[in-house]
Amino acid sequence: ITGKNALAYAASNFAVSLNGGTVATDASGTLPTVTTLQVGQLDGVTTFSCFGAIRRVSYYAARLANATLQGLTT
């Protein structure tokens, strides 16, 4: 099974879209200081590793619009 998801974040402005679906948002929260990007593993804990192939990862240095997130996942 292949799935596409897109995530966007800025201070108090979070959004996610899965497989072209409606964008889910949250307007509260803070951002941590991030120094490392881990792909396929949750917080360095090997018991929560991704069990499958990751075909592609794209990173955008700006908060994308919600409609763009939805378009990227269709």
Side-chain angles (χ1 to χ4, degrees):
I1 298 173
T2 300
K4 294 181 181 181
N5 60 40
L7 307 144
Y9 59 90
S12 297
N13 186 353
F14 303 90
V16 61
S17 180
L18 177 63
N19 295 327
T22 302
V23 178
T25 60
D26 189 353
S28 64
T30 59
L31 297 175
T33 300
V34 178
T35 59
T36 305
L37 173 65
Q38 295 181 347
V39 177
Q41 194 171 17
L42 178 63
D43 210 16
V45 180
T46 57
T47 56
F48 293 108
S49 295
C50 173
F51 296 103
I54 297 172
R55 186 175 293 163
R56 183 175 66 201
V57 174
S58 298
Y59 174 79
Y60 301 89
R63 166 62 164 93
L64 300 178
N66 292 350
T68 302
L69 298 178
Q70 195 170 22
L72 287 171
T73 64
T74 57

